[in-house]
Amino acid sequence: HTFGHAIETGLGYGAWLHGEAVGCGMVLAADLSARLGLVEAGLVPRLQQLCRRAGLPVQAPPLSVLPVARWMDLMRVDKKAEGGEIRFVLIDGLGRATMRAAPDALVAAVIRAHAAPG
């Protein structure tokens, strides 16, 4: 939800449906989980395929529309954030979740990797 809420707020409520933003956010969270070594990288394309089959977007808004700095600002005020530290619900193995922070540079890399062109 952390990535998804940033999409909703950054684009303006109603531009994307809540489920669309959360679905896309799940893909980003899975990628962040993989980059942190919590799950195998192969989980990310599997989740993308499932989201596509459900009709959910798997690419984040273009950086020209929602720049990385704006994402970071929005996620710092998420209800899970503590002391300005962004916290994410991540996958800690299939069927398991964990809440943790991640380095800003890594989060920014995930956003850039999943942003739509434009």
Side-chain angles (χ1 to χ4, degrees):
H1 270 78
T2 304
F3 286 112
H5 286 160
I7 293 170
E8 283 183 301
T9 305
L11 297 182
Y13 290 99
W16 282 30
L17 297 174
H18 178 72
E20 292 171 333
V22 170
C24 182
M26 288 188 319
V27 172
L28 276 71
D31 186 1
L32 184 56
S33 300
R35 291 174 191 238
L36 288 168
L38 300 174
V39 294
E40 291 184 21
L43 178 68
V44 179
R46 287 177 55 198
L47 182 59
Q48 285 175 314
Q49 184 178 18
L50 287 170
C51 286
R52 276 191 199 97
R53 289 168 80 190
L56 298 171
V58 296
Q59 281 194 303
L63 296 177
S64 60
V65 175
L66 191 56
V68 171
R70 180 75 173 131
W71 279 86
M72 302 303 280
D73 289 344
L74 291 168
M75 292 188 294
R76 280 191 213 296
V77 297
D78 184 84
K79 63 186 173 188
K80 291 179 293 303
E82 289 182 4
E85 183 177 67
I86 306 167
R87 295 172 54 82
F88 299 88
V89 175
L90 300 173
I91 306 167
D92 190 17
L94 288 179
R96 293 191 320 263
T98 186
M99 190 173 349
R100 64 165 42 180
D104 286 357
L106 190 58
V107 174
V110 168
I111 293 167
R112 285 186 190 98
H114 292 276

